[in-house]
Each structure stands twice: as structure tokens, then as C-alpha cells.
Amino acid sequence: MQIETPYLMFLGDVPDRLAAKTAYGIKDWRPEWCVGQLRLPGCAADLGIPDLTLAEAVAQGCRTMVIGVANAGGVLPEHWIAEVVAALNAGLDIASGLHARLGAVPAIAEAAERNGRQLHDVRHTAETFATGKGTKRPGRRLLSVGTDCSVGKKYTVLALERGMRERGLDADFRATGQTGVFISGRGVAIDAVVADFISGAVEWIAPAAVPDHWDLLEGQGSLFHPSFAGVSLGLLHGAQADAFVVCHEPTRTTMRGVQHPLPTIRQVIDLTVQLGSLTNPDIRPVGIAVNTQDLEEGAARALLVDLAREHDLPATDPVRFGVEAIVDRIVAEFPPAITGASA
């Protein structure tokens, strides 16, 4: 799909920042595309960009209104439909990362057809996938995994893509969620793929490559999350990961949306190695990425030092402190492949 930019970011009336993580991800990594935001009364998220009416957004050149919300179940609330129809009437296309299909809502489908506008359901793809085979394929792959959902797995691999490229490594971000697809322009929302084909879809996203090429795969959910572990496991097996980074949010005690306690980083490392070894017996951790935004800097740095010592791995906040230490570990653990015999 070709989504026209720039964007008006629609946040609805979400209850917190995490519920608008799609919008935040696009704004953080593609700020030049985000002209303004449209919020309803009671919205608790703010991208820090201008609040615009639909008329103002069109006047400033916006082409698409992006529903930048990732709510439980990916539903389109009934009271948002009128806003979407109004945007279509104003001359904007609509792009959504929700599970709910825009065209399945009669009022939206009718408005789009009447106005000649496009509806983009980023979470859904027309691509068909084979079942995963787990056969060893060339190239290298890194996967971000987490102690929970919404802990920074996407931001970690995007930061690693930038950091690895700056070091001269051949590395590409591979999107497995709707926000990543918005950011990169390619990928598959894995949580919308039929379960039997999840690992096959990941093999399609990150296919065989030259020996020193790195595909950096955006993780989803957590192997310990009772809602999303099935997606996480299929992603792990399809990734055939050589390396993984554990992502963590240190202020949580229970996982998001459920009452189950947060697993420890050690538990995540051990289970990821145990389960990931099915498709890559050499899988190994190369770092810990911690979202420290709710900690003051001194406490954040002290926590990272403690985690690095405890797990013998580089620990950092990729957004706050960069990923240089993790890139150092990757370079040390995976030296360049030998491409020819010595003279």
C-alpha cells in the first residue's frame, strides 16, 4: 500500500500515552511526516505537535489521517466513526493500525467511496504465507524480546539499525507491527496473521541474505504474557534469531492489561534461549534495553550498571543513552564471515 504523507495524527480520547504508542512511534521516527494531531475531549496523550481541526490540517497540506492508537483488541470505538467520516468528507485518506477493518463500517465505506478517498488497514495484508520450516538460512538476525508488551522493543531495534549502520554494518529494521510498518513502509503486522502461518510470515519478512547482513526484527508481546505469548513464540521461531536483546520497563510489577507478575530478565533470557534453540541452537543474548523514562538520570544509570553486572551483558536505555555498548557486543560476538580463502 502507498500511504500519502504528510499525516494528521488522530489520538481520539485514549486514556494514557501507551494507548497511543502507534502515534508516538511515527512522530518519534518520522517527525517530518506529522503536521498535527486531532484529539477528542478527555484525551490523555499529547504528541507535542499542534492541535489542528480537519480544515486546518487540510489547509496545511495533510493527505492522510492516521488513527495512531493501539488499544486492547484493536477495536474502533463507536464514537470515533463520526470523526473518521468527517475526515473523509474533508478530503483526507484514512490509515489505521487497528484490527478492525475500516471498510467494514458502512458509514466509513460509503464516505470513502463518495469522496474518492483511500482506506488503509495497515494491520492487514493481502500477502499469503507458507507455514514456517525452520530450515537454516544464511544471513544474521537479531530479535528484541520483552518482559512485557509495550516496553520498547520497536525503539530498540530502530536505534540499533541506526547505530549499526553508523559503524558500517549492513543492517535493516524489519517491522512486525503496525507502527513499524508505518515507519518503514514495509513489513507485516504479525498479530494479524493466522496462527499457523506466523513463523512462515517472519521467514518471509527476514529471508535468506548474504552472510554479514543483519535483519533487526521488531519483537511483539512477551513469552510470559498470557494474552500474547503465542505471537511471541511464533515470531521467535520464524526469526531464527542469532542474537536477541531483552527489553524491560523497571517500574512495573504486573504485565500490562493482566494481573500476572512481571517476569525477571533472567527468566526471559533463559526461556528465550530454551525455545529459540529449536530453530537456532546458537541463539544468544547481546544486551538489555531498559525504558528508564520514569526514572531520574542518576537512578537510571545506577540501575543499568547493576543489570549489566548481574547478567554480564551491556545494559542501556537506547533512547536516553544510545546503543553503542550493544553494538560493541554484537561486533565482538559475530565477527565478519570469511568470504574467500586466504592467498
Side-chain angles (χ1 to χ4, degrees):
M1 61 186 69
Q2 182 64 44
I3 302 173
E4 296 292 334
T5 60
Y7 298 150
L8 172 67
M9 307 303 298
F10 179 76
L11 305 184
D13 50 0
V14 296
D16 55 31
R17 176 189 174 100
L18 276 179
K21 68 176 186 177
T22 294
Y24 278 96
I26 299 169
K27 191 269 297 185
D28 286 347
W29 293 95
R30 295 291 184 265
E32 69 277 11
W33 293 351
C34 302
V35 172
Q37 63 186 2
L38 177 59
R39 299 184 293 167
L40 301 180
C43 182
D46 185 351
L47 300 177
I49 58 178
D51 287 292
L52 301 177
T53 66
L54 290 171
E56 290 169 339
V58 171
Q60 293 189 34
C62 288
R63 303 292 299 278
T64 302
M65 186 172 83
V66 174
I67 299 175
V69 175
N71 57 29
V75 299
L76 180 67
E78 186 74 23
H79 63 287
W80 290 5
I81 294 174
E83 300 294 331
V84 174
V85 169
L88 290 164
N89 290 337
L92 295 171
D93 293 341
I94 307 295
S96 169
L98 298 172
H99 281 296
R101 293 180 183 268
L102 294 166
V105 180
I108 293 175
E110 187 277 329
E113 182 175 3
R114 173 165 39 84
N115 291 288
R117 309 316 307 170
Q118 297 294 312
L119 301 176
H120 300 288
D121 292 303
V122 175
R123 214 161 193 158
H124 300 278
T125 177
E127 190 70 36
T128 57
F129 306 107
T131 55
K133 299 299 184 286
T135 304
K136 181 63 177 173
R137 59 195 192 273
R140 289 171 170 165
R141 290 159 199 89
L142 179 146
L143 175 68
S144 55
V145 302
T147 55
D148 195 6
C149 55
S150 303
V151 291
K153 294 183 286 292
K154 174 176 62 270
Y155 278 52
T156 294
V157 288
L158 282 164
L160 280 170
E161 179 190 53
R162 180 181 295 166
M164 291 172 73
R165 287 179 173 182
E166 288 173 352
R167 294 282 288 273
L169 299 175
D170 180 14
D172 286 318
F173 168 69
R174 299 300 185 191
T176 64
Q178 70 277 7
T179 309
V181 174
F182 274 122
I183 292 168
S184 69
R186 61 186 186 274
V188 175
I190 291 298
D191 63 1
V193 175
V194 173
D196 274 0
F197 305 103
I198 289 175
S199 60
V202 179
E203 292 179 358
W204 180 86
I205 292 169
V210 296
D212 286 328
H213 174 78
W214 281 93
D215 278 336
L216 309 177
L217 285 135
E218 171 192 10
Q220 297 293 329
S222 171
L223 290 172
F224 288 84
H225 199 294
S227 303
F228 310 119
V231 175
S232 306
L233 181 59
L235 179 51
L236 175 62
H237 287 159
Q240 203 173 84
D242 299 280
F244 65 92
V245 175
V246 179
C247 302
H248 178 61
E249 207 285 1
T251 67
R252 299 184 195 177
T253 56
T254 61
M255 288 181 281
R256 186 166 170 80
V258 297
Q259 295 302 309
H260 290 64
L262 208 70
T264 66
I265 291 172
R266 172 51 56 191
Q267 287 175 314
V268 173
I269 291 173
D270 290 345
L271 189 60
T272 300
V273 170
Q274 178 186 353
L275 298 177
S277 62
L278 175 69
T279 55
N280 190 342
D282 294 325
I283 186 173
R284 70 194 79 167
V286 292
I288 301 168
V290 184
N291 180 346
T292 66
Q293 66 179 351
D294 290 331
L295 302 178
E296 66 90 21
E297 183 169 339
R301 290 189 182 277
L303 173 63
L304 294 172
V305 169
D306 288 344
L307 291 175
R309 182 183 303 114
E310 179 183 355
H311 299 285
D312 192 27
L313 290 168
T316 186
D317 182 325
V319 174
R320 200 172 186 179
F321 304 127
V323 293
E324 184 176 355
I326 298 179
V327 176
D328 287 342
R329 185 63 166 257
I330 292 169
V331 171
E333 290 274 343
F334 300 92
I338 299 173
T339 56
S342 58

